[in-house]
Amino acid sequence: MPQRFKGFYEAASAVSVGKRACQEDAVLYDCPLGGDTGLVVVSDGMGGHAAGDVASKIVLTEVFSELKLQSGASAPEEGFRALLTRAAEGADDCIRAYIQDRPESIGMGATLVAVVLHGQQLHWISVGDSVLYLYRNGALHRLNEEHSFGRKMDRLVASGLMDSEAAAEHPDRNCLTSVVGGGGIAQIDCPADPFQLADGDLLVVASDGLEYLSPEEIRTILGDWHAVSSAQIAAQLMRGIEMIDDPEQDNISIVVVKVRLTDTAALRGPKLKSKPPIVPTRPATMVAMKSRAPAGLAGQRRLQCDQG
């Protein structure tokens, strides 16, 4: 009989419309104390008002409900990779059906990052450019792959096949090469083997609006605030974005998950006969941030850039 998971996942979220007219991000998480499994789903819609926000909600609803239904104390018989892939493809089918009933919504779609935490294992699926970061021992790692022309151009630059300046200024740099848009998913990032978590790991799942902060700025904030609650960490990331005050700031949705692999009873500590004193939160140590607009099309994306 497998040993019961004794840790827990502490999760919290923060969202903002940024400088946009409407919110096209959708986010949902479920990491109950005492449970063996945690779920996080983030989707960033595109296609304009009344299309992008609907697309992200469709993806969120379909993927989260499928994962919640099939995941539990034991791993599904088909395996988490198959479950995540089937959930994403089901969401793609739902968007196709929606477009067929409403032709005016042609061009809608959404990115997806869905995470399943099961014991000490991390499983994920990713489509598009929403992000999955791991912070461990002072280092920040992006775990998922970005599906964009910009990423492909960077590889060409690294191999000497493209000029770096031409890649940075290319008008299609921010176009996505894969989305959940009802036409089949061109590219999926879903590793066959789970990632092994360690005690104290921080996971950040977010829409690409978080990337108005550079990786170094994100790493600095997580380093300064990793000892506090996930809610405070999410708030500090959002504060860092607000300090930039970029006029082109995209929607932002962030979920921060703290991984604890020790006994939850020990972490709760002894019962107190009286309320503990209120300890003020330490002030933020924020990295200096310069206002800037992202490269390319000022952060705007087109669903299918290769169509005439």
Side-chain angles (χ1 to χ4, degrees):
M1 183 176 179
Q3 186 176 4
R4 182 171 176 79
F5 177 56
K6 295 182 179 181
F8 73 103
Y9 321 108
E10 179 200 326
S13 64
V15 298
S16 172
V17 73
K19 302 294 185 179
R20 301 300 168 87
C22 62
Q23 176 63 269
E24 294 186 322
D25 289 355
V27 58
L28 193 58
Y29 63 92
D30 182 32
C31 299
L33 182 65
D36 296 81
T37 303
L39 305 175
V40 179
V41 181
V42 172
S43 182
D44 180 1
M46 60 204 73
H49 183 55
D53 57 340
V54 173
S56 63
K57 288 182 176 68
I58 291 174
V59 171
L60 180 80
T61 301
E62 293 300 318
V63 172
F64 186 86
S65 61
E66 183 68 14
L67 296 181
K68 186 64 176 176
L69 180 66
Q70 299 297 334
S71 62
S74 60
E77 289 186 12
E78 61 183 333
F80 282 109
R81 187 186 191 194
L83 172 61
L84 286 162
T85 302
R86 179 161 52 82
E89 291 173 345
D92 194 67
D93 292 340
C94 287
I95 287 185
R96 179 168 59 251
Y98 185 91
I99 293 173
Q100 288 172 347
D101 289 341
R102 301 165 182 82
E104 69 277 7
S105 63
I106 290 175
M108 71 187 296
T111 70
L112 167 67
V113 176
V115 166
V116 178
L117 302 124
H118 187 73
Q120 293 184 224
Q121 296 183 338
L122 168 66
H123 308 260
W124 81 81
I125 189 167
S126 175
V127 179
D129 62 352
S130 294
V131 298
L132 171 58
Y133 281 121
L134 167 74
Y135 178 83
R136 177 186 288 178
N137 297 329
L140 183 71
H141 310 274
R142 178 164 180 166
L143 298 182
N144 67 329
E145 183 177 349
E146 178 183 317
H147 300 153
S148 71
F149 282 110
R151 179 61 175 159
K152 289 188 174 183
M153 292 174 192
D154 291 340
R155 291 172 180 165
L156 292 174
V157 171
S159 62
L161 298 175
M162 190 174 188
D163 179 73
S164 59
E165 185 175 346
E169 297 178 357
H170 198 286
D172 290 341
R173 179 172 181 82
N174 292 316
C175 295
L176 300 184
T177 56
S178 186
V179 296
V180 184
I185 304 174
Q187 187 177 2
I188 291 176
D189 179 9
C190 189
D193 298 320
F195 183 86
Q196 296 298 314
L197 297 167
D199 187 49
D201 281 350
L202 284 179
L203 297 172
V204 179
V205 189
S207 62
D208 70 326
L210 174 64
E211 294 193 288
Y212 282 66
L213 291 172
S214 70
E216 179 58 26
E217 290 166 346
I218 295 171
R219 187 198 66 79
T220 299
I221 293 172
L222 296 180
D224 286 346
W225 291 86
H226 70 278
V228 300
S229 71
S230 55
Q232 289 173 296
I233 296 170
Q236 289 306 312
L237 289 170
M238 192 65 74
R239 181 181 177 219
I241 294 171
E242 291 170 350
M243 287 175 64
I244 294 174
D245 195 28
D246 194 301
E248 298 291 336
Q249 177 65 55
D250 198 358
N251 302 151
I252 316 115
S253 292
I254 304 167
V255 179
V256 176
V257 182
K258 298 188 75 172
V259 178
R260 293 301 186 192
L261 302 181
T262 51
D263 194 328
T264 56
L267 286 170
R268 283 194 294 266
K271 293 183 179 180
L272 300 174
K273 295 182 179 180
S274 59
K275 292 183 179 180
I278 298 175
V279 178
T281 304
R282 67 184 181 89
T285 304
M286 299 297 297
V287 65
M289 301 170 188
K290 297 180 180 179
S291 176
R292 65 192 186 282
L297 301 175
Q300 296 180 358
R301 299 168 302 176
R302 288 176 289 170
L303 180 57
Q304 293 179 326
C305 301
D306 56 346
Q307 294 184 351

